[in-house]
Amino acid sequence: MPNSYKDTNLRTAAVIPAAGRGVRLGPGTPKALRTLGGVPILVHAVRAMARARAVTVIVVVAPADGAAEVRALLDAHGLPESTELLVVPGGDERQDSVRLGLAVLPPDVDVVLVHDAARPLVPVETVDAVVNAVRAGAPAVVPALPLADTVKSVDPVTDLVTGTPERALLRAVQTPQGFDRATLVRAHESVTKDVTDDASMVEHLGLPVLLVPGHEEAFKVTRPLDLVLAEAVLARRRATDGY
Ligand code: CTP
Ligand code: MG
């Protein structure tokens, strides 16, 4: 457990990898810069992090050739005065982008959230639950949901099914994933295996990863249909919650 737990001078940061192209969404503008309700997906994601009271530092990892453009975009949309914003260029893989974001964290940050720019609609309650679990002593915390589909393991060459893991033992995981800073930095320094999330690096270190309830609206905008769903969720929020 981080011994900084009771030190109110230490801060929580959110690193937002936004450097991907969004190949599965189809050709066009990089995914994080596409709009949802007229506002770039990345701006929604940054606001979702800033809405959590604990988060006072946000590091956006921009497409490698687009850091200045992203900085200007975020400045134009404005953030609460209390939030410090850093923008850095990203890398070839998501892991590289996260590592580049971690490298610029201010020294007084002890808890780090890593949140996909591609999850613009995560509710603040989910963010708070992750932060609280890390502050309570968990080195790594992940929001998770049960699966709707049955999942098969396969031989990708022959397309033959090799097994059916018991669905009740599986979870789909989301972001923000929350970490004790030192643990996450150590994981990124020592795990070079290809991974698709940050918690799996902490698993490789042999440390426990705690689940908290995820949220349907924290889904990742990945394919074109996800944009339709995201627009619908946003329209409903604007109509009912003055969002
Ligand atoms: N990401 C990143 N740097 C990369 C690749 C991905 O910062 N080199 C970010 C994406 O911008 C996204 C998050 O990681 O916010 C999750 O990745 P994913 O949803 O796979 O986005 P893309 O990699 O952009 O999409 P695709 O895999 O379809 O190309
Ligand atoms: Mg990707």
Side-chain angles (χ1 to χ4, degrees):
M1 167 162 132
N3 58 14
S4 53
Y5 168 43
K6 290 199 173 72
D7 189 335
T8 50
N9 294 322
L10 291 168
R11 300 193 289 167
T12 296
V15 173
I16 305 183
R21 282 225 48 90
V23 171
R24 287 171 288 179
L25 207 50
T29 313
K31 180 160 74 176
L33 303 181
R34 300 233 198 163
T35 59
L36 211 56
V39 174
I41 286 178
L42 172 61
V43 172
H44 287 289
V46 168
R47 286 181 179 159
M49 294 299 105
R51 221 168 265 130
R53 281 196 50 197
V55 174
T56 56
V57 182
I58 296 178
V59 180
V60 170
V61 188
D65 55 357
E69 184 195 340
V70 164
R71 174 87 230 185
L73 183 77
L74 292 169
D75 287 344
H77 281 87
L79 272 182
E81 291 278 307
S82 52
T83 309
E84 181 182 348
L85 178 69
L86 301 166
V87 180
V88 294
D92 288 342
E93 303 293 335
R94 184 183 180 283
Q95 284 166 266
D96 303 319
S97 295
V98 173
R99 196 175 294 118
L100 289 162
L102 293 177
V104 301
L105 285 176
D108 60 348
V109 166
D110 69 332
V111 171
V112 180
L113 306 180
V114 182
H115 181 61
D116 295 328
R119 298 182 190 270
L121 298 176
V122 60
V124 69
E125 292 77 15
T126 306
V127 185
D128 288 343
V130 171
V131 172
N132 290 341
V134 180
R135 291 244 161 246
V141 178
V142 172
L145 289 177
L147 298 188
D149 292 326
T150 295
V151 172
K152 304 286 185 193
S153 59
V154 299
D155 179 332
V157 176
T158 61
D159 263 350
L160 287 169
V161 169
T162 56
T164 307
E166 189 184 338
R167 191 174 62 190
L169 299 180
L170 299 174
R171 297 290 182 273
V173 303
Q174 305 178 320
T175 74
Q177 299 187 349
F179 305 90
D180 161 55
R181 176 191 184 156
T183 301
L184 183 61
V185 168
R186 186 154 65 89
H188 270 270
E189 281 167 359
S190 49
V191 179
T192 51
K193 196 175 175 294
D194 252 6
V195 295
T196 54
D197 77 343
D198 300 280
S200 55
M201 297 179 151
V202 173
E203 294 160 40
H204 282 296
L205 295 182
L207 293 170
V209 174
L210 178 68
L211 300 184
V212 295
H215 197 288
E216 272 187 346
E217 295 178 6
F219 66 93
K220 187 155 67 77
V221 173
T222 305
R223 290 174 285 262
L225 189 60
D226 298 322
L227 280 175
V228 178
L229 182 60
E231 290 283 7
V233 170
L234 187 60
R236 196 202 56 216
R237 282 190 194 175
R238 284 177 172 173
T240 62
D241 317 339
Y243 190 81

